[in-house]
């Protein structure tokens, strides 16, 4: 029956946009069925006018009369069409006999992407036409009746061009983009994972889901908070960056275990891959310590992790901030690959080293990373690009050398090092033939940060040449702990600011230092890192009112009046407490391997914070602003333009 | 052992604020245990430094060494204290021997409401000291070690005065109010009910939980939307009143079944028992009809309804808007009691009726409600108050008369009615001795609304005198359907506005009227009413772009450009779809019988929209407004004051 080519063939002729349902073409999609098989059986057909979804029918259904609703994926020669819904595709055979001429007419005339309801009988496909790559590839439905529920009048562009178009176009026509297999998969996986998290927290561990306000008061120093004018002249609400204060007050209120899938807001202007509103899994517990929170989160992720993404091993490894910085040059190390930073200062200690116009001063260090097999993959222009990064972003010189098979260094280092020192360097760095070493000298933190950056850049370069350093199916969770509690302010290093926020408790071993040398105090903050991205952070909080007041007033020089309600609450029997927040958008993004968090959010904003579909934000009339006692302060140029 | 008086006695000496844990004193609390017994076993002690909660220990634990954390409820004579947490109270015996003098010192010196950790052995109480009204009344814990985790420095007022204080004070010190049994119960019940709803929707019926943006664009006519200034001069986001547009677009995007526990925003200025932000269970489905949505919601409420509140019977009864208005004088009838409105126009039809200076014109009607046994409970001043309401709120005259035991009417109606007509009236209204009849004449809708109002006012009056008309443990759900699609605008009755919103589909039987007599078209809108409060509403939506454009442009005279993205989406293969939103705050409030929705919200705003705890909204400096290109337009008086 040559009029029914296998879908396998046809699929390759389809636009990419709609192709994925028949197989994992996109690197971050997987079999949609895996998701459903691990769930309790959901009834997708309750309450609606269909008997089955388009992804549901199998050989076992042969002979049944079914009613399907879906979109016409394509239609061929008046003989058959493929009907699509969120769960899959089903091949519909268009009847050719006179008695069903109306059905044929309806199905042949409906444009692609029209919505139809078809009733018919499930039949087995002839063996040679079975399509093992299609979930419903064993069967087809012989249509008896058909009805166009809504005709697709026009599409804003040729569907086959869709993926080629810009992300802006995808966002403008988001409702079409949502029909793609990727978006359906991502949003459904997100919903299911959050549901599993809720089961773990609510049902297994007695957490209470409490909704906290999003119309709140500006927090001291909350520069990134959106303001919301109120009807009281001059007074504004703020959209909070997190429910931090509320969750602590819930602990004071004896709620004991709180969680919320909380909407948070941060106005950072234009930043790629940030959203003005985002979601965090927000958690707080009373009578808990760091170890307790860590175990909770490890259990939570293990419980909610979709089986299609493998199994998570717990406990997660842990690393101090100091170690993360020294070894990976960052507080969020990607531990999927080595290329660690190694301190080679000792090799250079005794000599006056003149390389790159820098010398190892007493407070300076010399550090290196070793790019294994780098010489086989990297070219001169790559080294130039690495050095350019170091120079432009860190104002640092970097020296590179390669160990040639004959154990000689190239370029030779005899200008700086004795033969013996060169051998020592090779030994310490465990350099092997064809490895590339990147070497730099300077202040510890700066050199580490720079080499941490080059480490990732080298990995990108190697992967762009076909090497796989970072297994995309591997998930390396890591706790980073023992952060400093305070940092010198960038603009005025004599003053201190909170490394995270002013409610973080000091490390128990360092409490006494708080009053003598606050800059040396480590905190009880912890970050959760996944594959080099921070996906969560939290801390044990200060529950002692005096300590909190000291931190605010004496260390941070802030007006404690602005937080008087919190200080007062701490005096009224606040239990010891701590918590964490997981960035849900980023977590899901990493889990599905999506290129951007916009691929795991139903209606994301552009990197300029615009909704390209509805065109938000938009102009509002002065009359509409009147109840809020505000008026627009036009920048000079626009005010001028408005006059004319 | 006379030094340990039974808690039963002690409890009566306790301030009301903390009393409830030992029994349902408050009319809307019930036994906290009921909640937990129906759940899968939650582990409340995982990850934290206690072995048990304060509500957990029973005779079976006798002999075990336990660690409890909690608040000191009270301490007596250095002999024992009661420790409290979210789950209950446990009596702690303070050791009196020398070896434990430190423990005694710690526990005796800690102020009430201090947070302590106590380790000790569970012991059986002597039989005469067992307290059956206390969950843990069979046991006590003999303390071995004790530690003050946080001393309660001061309370902002005497705890015993707390309940007597105003709601404003409760809100200012919300973290103390949250420690009360009522608030703990309400928030936990809310969390658990929402969790059950999620299980029903996600796990049983394949709904996808999708988060939609809250920074959106102003909707046409969206007068009650908060504006959020953006960094683009003159451009504003709006906080949406509901995710209406997004959920419809999700259906166009093929999501098939969407739900969200959605935060919504409405700026209504000062309104009692409204909150500027509120939560709705937001639902949308493709390929569904009215009956499907109704069955879904009935199943959802039945599944999630807490067993302590009884069992819900389905299907819920249904009533047309026309019937609700005619019989109950409202679109949200409280069907827990009768006192229905009865049309008695026929009795008056043939005569010229002169009562109260009104006559039954051809378009007028005469209606009445019969207050059963009213004469036994209501006094002259009550009738005066009812008539005053009718007059002031509806500009309507009302006549009342009582059927005396001898079957004579008082006051006599012979001024208006013949003997035979009086008998007919008594027959039609089924008046019995001591019943009171309230009678009024005029235009149908106006008289119905007024009598509907008097019906509720009469019920209030009767209940204030001790009669129970509305069983507080009964839950009467009711669907109200067949609303008009459009209503004449109040200010200009020649123009039409949407009765609900412009996306509501017309009733299938009335579709043709849309183009000829739109004012006669009934809609596919449905409201869900519980005990006389609207707790939800929804509709089948328009999925045809032309029909939607006609409604917007021709019927409503609105600019369709503002909704161009939605109209465009409808042209791209939008499936038939419909949905509903349940007002979660009100639903929970009615379920627990709380006097105000503020009792089921963790951090509510005052009726003026203020957060009395943190003092939001608050002033913001002009510098902080600069990035948003707005400035404050001070009202004249304040601008003057600011100058000086």
């Amino acid at each position: 029956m040559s009029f029914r080519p296998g879908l396998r063939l046809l699929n390759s002729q389809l636009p990419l946009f709609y192709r994925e349902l028949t197989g994992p073409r996109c690197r971050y999609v997987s079999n949609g069925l895996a998701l459903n098989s691990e769930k309790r059986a959901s009834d997708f057909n309750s309450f609606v006018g269909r008997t089955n979804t388009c992804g549901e029918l199998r050989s076992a259904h042969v002979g049944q009369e079914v009613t399907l609703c879906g979109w016409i994926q394509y239609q061929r020669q008046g003989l058959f069409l493929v009907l699509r819904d969120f769960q899959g595709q089903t091949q519909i055979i268009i009847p050719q006999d006179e008695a069903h001429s109306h059905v044929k007419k309806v199905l042949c005339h409906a444009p692609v992407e029209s919505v139809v309801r078809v009733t018919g009988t499930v039949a087995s496909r002839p063996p040679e036409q079975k399509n093992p790559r299609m979930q419903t590839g064993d069967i087809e439905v012989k249509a008896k009746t058909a009805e166009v529920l809504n005709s697709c009048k026009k599409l804003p562009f040729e569907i086959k061009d869709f993926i080629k178009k810009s992300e802006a176009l995808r966002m403008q026509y988001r409702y079409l983009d949502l029909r793609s297999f990727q978006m359906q998969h991502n949003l459904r996986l997100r919903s299911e994972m959050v549901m599993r998290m809720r089961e773990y927290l609510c049902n297994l561990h007695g957490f209470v889901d409490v909704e906290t306000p999003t119309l709140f008061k500006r927090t001291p120093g909350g520069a990134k908070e959106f303001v919301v004018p109120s009807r009281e002249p001059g007074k504004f609400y703020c959209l909070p960056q997190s429910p931090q204060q509320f969750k602590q007050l819930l602990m004071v209120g004896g709620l004991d275990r709180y969680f919320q899938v909380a909407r948070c807001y941060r106005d950072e202007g234009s930043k790629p891959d940030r959203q003005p509103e985002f979601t965090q899994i927000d958690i707080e517990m009373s009578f808990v310590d760091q170890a307790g929170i860590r175990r909770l989160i490890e259990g939570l992720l293990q419980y909610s992790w979709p089986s299609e993404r493998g199994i998570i091993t717990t406990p997660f490894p842990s690393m101090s901030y100091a170690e993360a910085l020294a070894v990976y040059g960052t507080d969020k190390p990607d531990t999927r690959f080595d290329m660690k930073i190694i301190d080679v200062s000792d090799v250079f200690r005794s000599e006056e080293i003149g390389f790159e116009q820098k010398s190892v001063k007493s407070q300076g260090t010399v550090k290196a990373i070793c790019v294994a097999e780098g010489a086989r993959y990297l070219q001169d222009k790559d080294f130039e690009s690495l050095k350019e990064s170091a120079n432009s972003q860190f104002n640092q010189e970097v020296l590179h050398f390669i160990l040639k098979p004959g154990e000689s260094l190239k370029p030779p280092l005899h200008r700086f090092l004795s033969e013996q020192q060169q051998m020592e360097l090779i030994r310490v760095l465990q350099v092997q033939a064809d490895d590339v070493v990147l070497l730099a000298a300077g202040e510890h933190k700066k050199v580490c940060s720079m080499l941490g950056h080059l480490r990732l850049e080298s990995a990108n370069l190697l992967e762009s040449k076909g090497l796989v350093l970072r297994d995309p199916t591997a998930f390396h969770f890591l706790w980073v702990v023992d952060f400093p509690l305070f940092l010198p302010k960038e603009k005025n290093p004599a003053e201190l600011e909170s490394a995270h926020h002013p409610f973080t408790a000091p490390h128990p071993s360092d409490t006494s230092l708080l009053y003598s040398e606050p800059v040396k105090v480590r905190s009880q903050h912890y970050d959760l890192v996944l594959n080099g991205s921070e996906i969560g952070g939290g801390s044990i909080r200060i529950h002692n009112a005096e300590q909190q007041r000291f931190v605010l007033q004496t260390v941070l020089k802030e007006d404690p009046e602005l937080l008087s309600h919190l200080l007062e609450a701490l005096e009224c029997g606040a239990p010891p407490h701590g918590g964490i927040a997981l960035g849900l958008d980023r977590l899901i993004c990493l889990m599905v391997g999506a290129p951007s968090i916009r691929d795991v959010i139903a209606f994301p904003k552009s990197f300029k914070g615009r909704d390209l579909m509805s065109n938000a934000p938009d102009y509002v009339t002065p009359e509409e602003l009147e109840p809020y006692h505000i008026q627009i302060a036009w920048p000079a140029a626009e005010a001028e333009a408005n006059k004319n």
Side-chain angles (χ1 to χ4, degrees), chain A:
Chain A
M1 291 206 270
S2 61
F3 63 85
R4 292 189 304 186
L7 190 60
R8 194 160 200 160
L9 180 65
L10 256 179
N11 192 50
S12 65
Q13 298 157 357
L14 274 177
L16 185 62
F17 176 52
Y18 282 138
R19 238 184 250 165
E20 290 76 6
L21 269 169
T22 56
R25 300 232 159 199
C26 171
R27 88 178 167 81
Y28 65 89
V29 302
S30 71
N31 188 348
L33 277 182
L35 255 178
N36 302 320
S37 61
E38 68 164 349
K39 278 180 54 178
R40 280 131 300 183
S42 290
D43 183 357
F44 290 105
N45 304 308
S46 46
F47 314 116
V48 290
R50 66 178 172 236
T51 60
N52 297 85
T53 67
C54 296
E56 202 177 349
L57 298 173
R58 301 288 184 275
S59 292
H61 296 90
V62 166
Q64 289 186 13
E65 180 159 305
V66 296
T67 300
L68 305 182
C69 296
W71 285 258
I72 297 180
Q73 177 89 341
Y74 56 87
Q75 186 261 107
R76 283 292 179 275
Q77 298 154 333
L79 296 171
F80 76 102
L81 59 80
V82 167
L83 201 63
R84 187 196 75 237
D85 70 9
F86 66 96
Q87 230 198 4
Q89 300 176 334
T90 300
Q91 188 156 292
I92 308 287
I93 305 301
I94 302 172
Q96 304 296 321
D97 57 316
E98 192 57 38
H100 290 91
S101 61
H102 173 69
V103 177
K104 180 170 184 178
K105 196 174 160 197
V106 161
L107 292 179
C108 291
H109 284 77
V112 164
E113 290 302 308
S114 291
V115 186
V116 295
R117 177 190 283 130
V118 175
T119 296
T121 310
V122 184
S124 198
R125 291 201 201 183
E128 73 279 10
Q129 310 224 345
K130 290 189 194 287
N131 184 347
R133 294 187 64 211
M134 194 175 174
Q135 296 164 22
T136 63
D138 285 347
I139 58 93
E140 57 198 12
V141 171
K142 292 177 188 295
K144 285 182 182 167
T145 67
E147 181 191 355
V148 175
L149 299 173
N150 207 358
S151 181
C152 182
K153 297 295 178 339
K154 62 163 189 181
L155 289 173
F157 37 76
E158 290 289 312
I159 288 272
K160 68 170 184 283
D161 293 336
F162 194 67
I163 278 288
K164 295 183 212 153
K165 298 271 176 179
S166 65
E167 192 184 44
L169 201 68
R170 282 181 57 202
M171 284 172 61
Q172 186 182 348
Y173 296 99
R174 190 59 164 183
Y175 44 88
L176 293 177
D177 195 30
L178 288 175
R179 290 184 194 164
S180 70
F181 180 70
Q182 295 99 304
M183 283 308 303
Q184 292 275 335
H185 179 266
N186 294 353
L187 293 182
R188 282 165 199 277
L189 194 67
R190 178 179 178 135
S191 168
E192 284 167 23
M193 187 172 182
V194 170
M195 188 63 197
R196 294 278 289 175
M197 287 181 169
R198 293 178 179 279
E199 287 169 2
Y200 180 85
L201 292 167
C202 272
N203 296 348
L204 299 187
H205 294 288
F207 279 75
V208 189
D209 179 3
V210 181
E211 299 167 61
T212 58
T214 59
L215 291 172
F216 191 47
K217 179 193 163 110
R218 199 164 185 84
T219 43
K224 290 169 179 171
E225 288 172 354
F226 286 102
V227 296
V228 181
S230 79
R231 286 169 188 258
E232 296 186 62
K235 290 192 177 180
F236 293 78
Y237 299 105
C238 278
L239 300 177
Q241 292 186 53
S242 91
Q244 182 64 34
Q245 289 185 49
F246 289 113
K247 66 181 184 174
Q248 293 195 237
L249 291 166
L250 286 172
M251 294 305 104
V252 181
L255 255 285
D256 199 66
R257 320 187 141 202
Y258 144 90
F259 92 102
Q260 184 183 193
V261 181
R263 193 70 60 89
C264 303
Y265 302 85
R266 199 174 295 161
D267 179 18
E268 303 190 285
S270 306
K271 273 209 179 178
D273 229 28
R274 288 283 180 102
Q275 288 282 302
E277 51 184 316
F278 56 98
T279 304
Q280 63 188 36
I281 308 289
D282 199 47
I283 289 173
E284 196 82 7
M285 290 176 89
S286 295
F287 310 113
V288 75
D289 59 10
Q290 275 203 57
I293 296 281
R294 280 201 237 166
R295 272 185 293 134
L296 167 75
I297 295 301
E298 288 161 357
L300 173 72
L301 287 168
Q302 197 166 46
Y303 184 87
S304 60
W305 201 253
S307 59
E308 57 158 291
R309 296 279 133 184
I311 287 168
I312 290 181
T313 317
T314 60
F316 301 154
S318 168
M319 190 183 284
S320 74
Y321 166 75
E323 185 185 351
L325 180 68
V327 178
Y328 296 95
T330 173
D331 58 359
K332 36 182 187 286
D334 188 341
T335 52
R336 284 177 298 175
F337 68 108
D338 262 355
M339 216 192 285
K340 293 175 180 168
I341 301 169
I342 295 167
D343 191 295
V344 292
S345 304
D346 283 348
V347 178
F348 295 80
R349 189 76 66 199
S350 57
E351 302 285 313
E352 186 71 8
I353 309 298
F355 85 85
E356 312 283 337
Q357 286 80 48
K358 274 217 169 63
S359 58
V360 183
K361 296 278 159 56
S362 55
Q363 75 276 37
T365 60
V366 186
K367 294 173 190 293
I369 55 173
C370 177
V371 185
E373 300 185 273
R376 284 194 216 151
Y377 297 91
L378 304 182
Q379 297 164 334
D380 280 348
K381 69 170 163 68
D382 298 323
F383 298 124
E384 284 318 304
S385 132
L386 290 168
K387 288 177 181 178
E388 167 57 23
S389 285
N391 205 338
S392 63
Q393 293 178 50
F394 297 87
N395 191 25
Q396 279 267 354
E397 306 281 346
V398 172
L399 189 75
H400 87 279
F401 61 85
I402 297 165
L403 187 63
K404 283 285 160 187
E407 300 257 313
S408 71
L409 294 183
K410 186 194 165 192
L413 289 182
H414 58 251
R415 267 171 57 211
F416 318 114
L417 290 174
S418 69
E419 194 77 11
Q420 196 195 341
Q421 282 174 322
Q422 291 188 31
M423 295 311 292
E424 178 66 6
L425 197 59
I426 289 166
R427 191 191 64 77
V428 170
L429 293 172
Q430 296 183 292
V431 191
Q432 302 194 353
D434 278 341
D435 287 359
V436 173
V437 171
L438 302 173
L439 192 79
E443 186 267 319
H444 173 74
K445 189 173 177 183
K446 196 175 162 195
V447 174
C448 287
S449 300
M450 184 274 291
L451 285 176
H453 183 85
L454 294 195
R455 175 177 175 266
L456 294 178
E457 214 169 309
S458 303
N460 291 343
L461 284 168
L462 291 175
E463 291 194 336
S464 72
K465 320 229 168 184
L467 224 64
V468 177
L469 271 78
R470 296 166 292 197
D471 178 359
T473 67
F475 295 98
H476 283 229
F477 289 94
L478 173 74
W479 291 107
V480 180
V481 299
D482 293 348
F483 283 85
L485 184 54
F486 305 107
L487 293 172
K489 282 187 185 170
E490 219 166 286
K491 289 183 182 171
N492 180 2
E495 289 179 9
L496 293 180
E497 62 187 3
S498 295
H500 294 94
H501 59 59
F503 315 117
T504 310
H507 197 287
S509 331
D510 297 355
T511 308
S512 62
L513 284 173
L514 184 61
Y515 305 93
S516 53
E517 290 182 279
V519 74
K520 288 196 177 162
V521 176
R522 288 166 303 161
S523 73
Q524 295 202 62
H525 179 93
Y526 28 82
D527 268 353
L528 182 58
V529 173
L530 170 58
N531 294 352
S533 287
E534 184 197 322
I535 56 160
S539 60
I540 302 303
R541 328 295 183 185
I542 297 173
H543 64 269
N544 179 299
E546 283 156 50
Q547 193 178 66
Q548 183 68 75
R549 191 171 278 113
F550 179 83
V551 165
L552 286 170
Q553 203 158 14
T554 310
V555 182
L556 299 174
K557 321 281 184 207
E558 274 177 19
D559 179 6
E561 260 315 293
L562 292 166
L563 287 167
S564 59
H565 55 285
L566 190 74
L567 288 165
E568 208 161 3
L570 294 183
E571 285 175 337
C572 295
H577 61 287
I580 194 166
L582 301 181
L584 184 63
D585 306 306
R586 172 122 357 247
L587 173 62
I588 304 284
C589 179
L590 290 169
M591 196 179 66
V592 300
S596 155
I597 57 168
R598 283 189 279 273
D599 291 314
V600 299
I601 295 173
F603 298 100
K605 303 261 188 313
S606 76
F607 82 99
K608 286 194 169 169
R610 291 210 189 108
D611 179 332
L612 299 177
M613 185 182 62
S614 73
N615 193 30
D618 205 356
Y619 294 108
V620 161
T621 66
E623 292 71 38
E624 291 177 301
L625 297 179
E626 224 165 78
Y628 300 110
H629 312 282
I630 56 169
Q631 56 197 25
I632 296 162
W634 292 101
E638 302 193 29
E640 198 58 39
N642 278 8
K643 260 186 217 160
N644 306 330

